[in-house]
Amino acid sequence: MRALLFIVPLALTIYAFIDCLNTSEEDTKHLPKIAWVFIILLFWIVGPVVWLVAGKARRNAATGTGPSSWQRGRRQQWVAPDDNPDFLKSLKDDKEARKAEAEAESRKAEKAEEEEELKRRNGGSGPDDKTPPTS
């Protein structure tokens, strides 16, 4: 029973401290956030109770602006890559860019082969030319 008299206030203090740290500066009431942290830590039992009662701007879930609606809105921002149209579009763009790059390399190689063939036909020596050069 004695341990319970120590554990409950400690748990309340830890909860209030973490809640205060996770609360944005705009949602704290009456004092700056750092002041609330000091109050929670210095006034061991009273500080956490005061924070929970008066330190944080609380919103009703019925109005749709409470934490549950915030969490729902936040979850919608993160989409799996295979469901994200922007990600799929970027994959398609990358594929098209690689295809265009390969086509450009292919054209460049074909052009080099054509130039080499023209040199051979016009009497120039190519790498496969077996005839000795004339002087």
Side-chain angles (χ1 to χ4, degrees), residues 12-68:
L12 182 66
T13 302
I14 291 171
Y15 173 78
F17 180 68
I18 292 172
D19 186 42
C20 182
L21 291 178
N22 287 331
T23 302
S24 68
E25 191 72 41
E26 294 83 30
D27 288 341
T28 58
K29 294 191 322 185
H30 308 295
L31 294 171
K33 189 174 174 179
I34 191 74
W36 280 114
V37 168
F38 284 122
I39 289 171
I40 291 169
L41 294 177
L42 291 176
F43 303 104
W44 199 56
I45 297 173
V46 178
V49 172
V50 172
W51 163 254
L52 293 174
V53 172
K56 182 178 179 180
R58 310 233 183 244
R59 297 182 181 109
N60 288 338
T63 61
T65 59
S68 61

Side-chain angles (χ1 to χ4, degrees), residues 98-110:
R98 278 181 284 169
K99 185 178 177 182
E101 215 174 272
E103 288 175 359
E105 288 293 324
S106 174
R107 277 189 244 118
K108 190 176 179 182
E110 287 175 6

Side-chain angles (χ1 to χ4, degrees), residues 81-102:
D82 57 343
D83 294 336
N84 188 340
D86 294 332
F87 178 74
L88 295 175
K89 184 178 182 284
S90 73
L91 288 179
K92 184 179 177 184
D93 293 344
D94 288 348
K95 184 177 178 182
E96 290 173 359
R98 278 181 284 169
K99 185 178 177 182
E101 215 174 272

